[in-house]
Amino acid sequence: MAKKHDGSRVRDALRVDGALPDPGATPVGPGKKAKALAGLESAGERLSALQEALYAEGVGGGTRRVLLVLQGMDTSGKGGTVSHVLGLVNPMGVRYAAFKKPTVAERRHEYLWRIRKQLPGPGQIGVFDRSHYEDILVPQVSGLLTAAERRRRYAEINAFEAELAEAGTTVLKVFLHISPEEQLKRLKARLVTPEKRWKYNPGDLEARSHWPAYQEAYAGIFEKTPTWYAVPADHKWYRNWAVAELLIETLADLKPRFPAPDYDVDAELAKLKGVGVPS
Amino acid sequence: MAKKHDGSRVRDALRVDGALPDPGATPVGPGKKAKALAGLESAGERLSALQEALYAEGVGGGTRRVLLVLQGMDTSGKGGTVSHVLGLVNPMGVRYAAFKKPTVAERRHEYLWRIRKQLPGPGQIGVFDRSHYEDILVPQVSGLLTAAERRRRYAEINAFEAELAEAGTTVLKVFLHISPEEQLKRLKARLVTPEKRWKYNPGDLEARSHWPAYQEAYAGIFEKTPTWYAVPADHKWYRNWAVAELLIETLADLKPRFPAPDYDVDAELAKLKGVGVPS
């Protein structure tokens, strides 16, 4: 899809358009850890304020919402992003869903069935830790998807996302871009640290062995489905900073507004004056 | 129900047993704001560590989970508690649900139907902002519940919570106890502050006019359903500190444990040594 410039500094820099940036690069924003951490802290305040306004809008009858889709190879930091970026805002306004290997029950439905059940409500920020894109990636890499089937899935997903947009959902799709060298380090860290062993899955090495096939499958997705952003993710501090800024730019675009009261403020204040203390 | 002492300092002090503490009191823990804020900060680390272990246990096949039920009059701080206490932990492990006035669709089902749909999954901390207890409170105060119906609801809810316990859910029920004087201040603040007006609802004054009836309805619930904790909530700093500690004591009791790996760590480490960088 053609690159669109909309004057948003971080989105313009990270929007996928052909080749991806180096996973260790810092194409926009802070190039050093200390600056990125300070930036994330200030981002927390802006993010919270925008999130609260969006939530209030939802309470006031608004239907807009945001869905952050996180994709990336194992250890690319999807969970860490949720913790460090979404952890900055009020949990009331966040709806998180992880999509693992489909269960037997889930496989009895079409692949968007379980996705639809986890969509954010009005005023919420939904977060998908993996998503319907796994339903292209995994079968494509396993050789279980013909080219015609793949084209059909692109079309189905595009129609699905258009339907979401129509219902007031802004979808922000982020690919956390990690290098195979960094993945190897992180897998090792998971094995040698007892409290991290639960995060390790022997299947991760199998997926890793298909690295080029996954990159190719992602390239197809970036080309055939609407706007993606690639966040260099070898530095966790850069990843967190960048996702927070992408989310802020997306929310700021919506200009969420506290709803006007649907009652007469002065009349209510007058009523309060006459109210005693119940006993 | 009889008061049980289990050696947990905060739970023992705040467990409901007859008369409630004064809404402005600080029956256990810090009596001053600065100390309470510092305490909450340290609670954040303990809470995060416990929550991560519970989550990991869930990933490892464990079925245990915690459900925090927040009840209280309007403005008692249910939302603020979610923001300040649950905001301390990873959003991946939190499932929040608010139960407002039932919709037309919800009213076509029995009252526990919508509750069951929002229960936390294994390893999660669920948070109910209001709950199935509203289905006793509201009809009782409105005079729409006969004594016999009320007894049946107590029994149904007790059976429901026993069922949850059997499935591995520890339910922590907290009543945020605010004074009518403090409520009046908070309602006024909502009206005079433009960014807070969306939180105000003219119906709040109607509920307020039934204050003694609500207190009576709560007293029945405290007597007839399992263990409740009352948190004095006139001071927000005390409320946040106390709920955080109640949650910590509840989680600590469970002794959540990182699951043992279901794979051979050494074998995996050896495999990693042999793994190259895919190209």
Side-chain angles (χ1 to χ4, degrees):
Chain A
M1 306 230 160
K3 184 149 183 159
K4 290 173 287 181
H5 285 278
D6 57 16
S8 309
R9 191 171 65 114
V10 183
R11 282 184 297 176
D12 281 347
L14 300 180
R15 193 174 289 111
V16 177
D17 179 24
L20 300 183
D22 187 275
T26 56
V28 57
K32 293 264 191 277
K33 184 172 180 177
K35 265 206 157 161
L37 293 181
L40 184 64
E41 209 176 303
S42 99
E45 281 166 46
R46 286 174 289 145
L47 198 53
S48 276
L50 286 162
Q51 179 268 323
E52 192 189 3
L54 185 69
Y55 186 85
E57 196 185 277
V59 171
T63 57
R64 299 193 299 173
R65 60 206 92 178
V66 167
L67 174 61
L68 171 65
V69 171
L70 292 173
Q71 285 285 159
M73 300 296 286
D74 294 313
T75 79
S76 60
K78 299 178 289 294
T81 301
V82 174
S83 176
H84 289 95
V85 179
L86 279 308
L88 297 170
V89 306
N90 191 336
M92 285 173 73
V94 176
R95 178 157 179 185
Y96 168 84
F99 297 98
K100 312 204 172 179
K101 198 178 156 189
T103 62
V104 173
E106 286 171 344
R107 271 184 279 137
R108 287 162 58 203
H109 299 267
E110 52 91 23
Y111 65 97
L112 291 173
W113 176 80
R114 64 175 187 158
I115 304 289
R116 288 181 187 276
K117 293 208 301 175
Q118 301 282 1
L119 291 168
Q124 285 188 316
I125 299 176
V127 187
F128 281 2
D129 178 341
R130 303 186 188 271
S131 67
H132 41 296
Y133 287 99
E134 294 291 321
D135 296 295
I136 292 180
L137 291 163
V138 177
Q140 178 175 346
V141 168
S142 313
L144 296 173
L145 208 60
T146 65
E149 284 167 338
R150 180 150 42 103
R151 281 194 300 274
R152 204 177 62 201
R153 292 214 165 176
Y154 291 142
E156 285 162 354
I157 286 176
N158 288 348
F160 171 58
E161 292 184 6
E163 179 197 324
L164 295 185
E166 201 133 334
T169 309
T170 301
V171 184
L172 171 63
K173 294 183 287 184
V174 175
F175 174 66
L176 301 179
H177 184 37
I178 193 183
S179 67
E181 293 82 359
E182 179 65 21
Q183 187 194 52
L184 196 57
K185 277 188 214 164
R186 293 186 187 179
L187 288 173
K188 264 184 199 157
R190 287 183 177 184
L191 281 172
V192 299
T193 319
E195 321 81 78
K196 285 189 178 179
R197 284 184 184 146
W198 64 277
K199 295 186 185 182
Y200 182 91
N201 186 330
D204 295 352
L205 282 187
E206 160 69 10
R208 178 182 168 86
S209 72
H210 299 295
W211 194 282
Y214 270 104
Q215 304 307 304
E216 194 190 319
Y218 270 113
I221 286 169
F222 299 151
E223 197 191 331
K224 298 295 188 189
T225 71
T227 318
W228 279 85
Y229 299 90
V231 167
D234 274 5
H235 298 300
K236 294 175 182 175
W237 47 265
Y238 188 75
R239 174 200 77 202
N240 292 338
W241 175 87
V243 176
E245 293 295 333
L246 289 172
L247 202 48
I248 287 173
E249 286 184 357
T250 303
L251 284 161
D253 250 15
L254 297 180
K255 297 188 180 55
R257 291 179 59 181
F258 289 101
D262 58 356
Y263 53 84
D264 180 335
V265 175
D266 291 329
E268 293 299 317
L269 273 169
K271 271 199 245 166
L272 277 193
K273 283 222 174 78
V275 155
V277 170
S279 58
Chain B
M1 306 230 157
K3 184 146 182 157
K4 290 173 286 180
H5 284 277
D6 58 17
S8 309
R9 191 172 65 114
V10 183
R11 281 185 297 178
D12 281 347
L14 299 181
R15 193 174 287 112
V16 177
D17 178 25
L20 300 184
D22 187 275
T26 56
V28 58
K32 293 263 190 280
K33 185 172 179 177
K35 265 207 156 159
L37 293 181
L40 184 64
E41 208 176 303
S42 100
E45 283 167 45
R46 286 175 288 145
L47 198 53
S48 276
L50 286 160
Q51 180 267 324
E52 192 188 3
L54 184 69
Y55 186 85
E57 196 185 278
V59 171
T63 58
R64 299 193 300 173
R65 63 206 91 178
V66 167
L67 174 61
L68 171 65
V69 172
L70 293 173
Q71 285 284 160
M73 301 297 284
D74 295 313
T75 78
S76 61
K78 300 179 288 294
T81 302
V82 174
S83 176
H84 289 96
V85 178
L86 280 307
L88 297 169
V89 307
N90 191 335
M92 285 173 73
V94 175
R95 177 158 180 184
Y96 169 83
F99 297 99
K100 313 205 172 179
K101 198 179 154 189
T103 61
V104 172
E106 286 171 345
R107 270 184 280 137
R108 287 161 59 202
H109 300 267
E110 52 91 25
Y111 65 98
L112 291 173
W113 176 79
R114 63 174 188 160
I115 305 289
R116 288 183 188 277
K117 293 207 302 174
Q118 301 282 1
L119 291 168
Q124 284 188 317
I125 299 177
V127 187
F128 281 1
D129 178 342
R130 305 190 188 269
S131 67
H132 41 293
Y133 286 99
E134 294 290 321
D135 296 296
I136 292 181
L137 291 164
V138 177
Q140 178 175 346
V141 168
S142 314
L144 297 172
L145 208 62
T146 66
E149 283 167 339
R150 178 148 45 101
R151 281 195 299 274
R152 204 177 63 201
R153 292 215 164 173
Y154 291 143
E156 284 163 354
I157 285 176
N158 289 347
F160 171 58
E161 291 184 6
E163 178 196 324
L164 294 185
E166 201 132 334
T169 309
T170 301
V171 184
L172 170 62
K173 293 182 288 184
V174 175
F175 174 66
L176 300 179
H177 184 36
I178 192 181
S179 67
E181 293 82 359
E182 178 65 21
Q183 187 194 50
L184 196 56
K185 275 188 217 164
R186 294 187 186 178
L187 289 173
K188 266 184 198 156
R190 288 183 177 184
L191 282 172
V192 299
T193 320
E195 320 81 78
K196 285 189 177 178
R197 284 185 185 146
W198 64 277
K199 295 186 184 181
Y200 183 90
N201 186 331
D204 295 353
L205 282 187
E206 159 70 10
R208 178 183 169 86
S209 73
H210 300 294
W211 194 283
Y214 271 105
Q215 304 307 304
E216 195 190 317
Y218 270 114
I221 285 169
F222 298 152
E223 197 191 331
K224 299 295 189 189
T225 70
T227 318
W228 279 84
Y229 300 90
V231 168
D234 274 6
H235 298 300
K236 294 175 182 176
W237 47 264
Y238 188 74
R239 173 201 77 202
N240 292 338
W241 174 87
V243 177
E245 293 296 333
L246 288 172
L247 202 47
I248 286 173
E249 286 184 356
T250 303
L251 284 161
D253 251 15
L254 297 180
K255 297 188 180 57
R257 291 179 57 180
F258 288 101
D262 58 357
Y263 53 84
D264 181 334
V265 175
D266 292 331
E268 293 299 317
L269 273 169
K271 271 199 244 167
L272 277 193
K273 284 222 175 75
V275 156
V277 170
S279 58

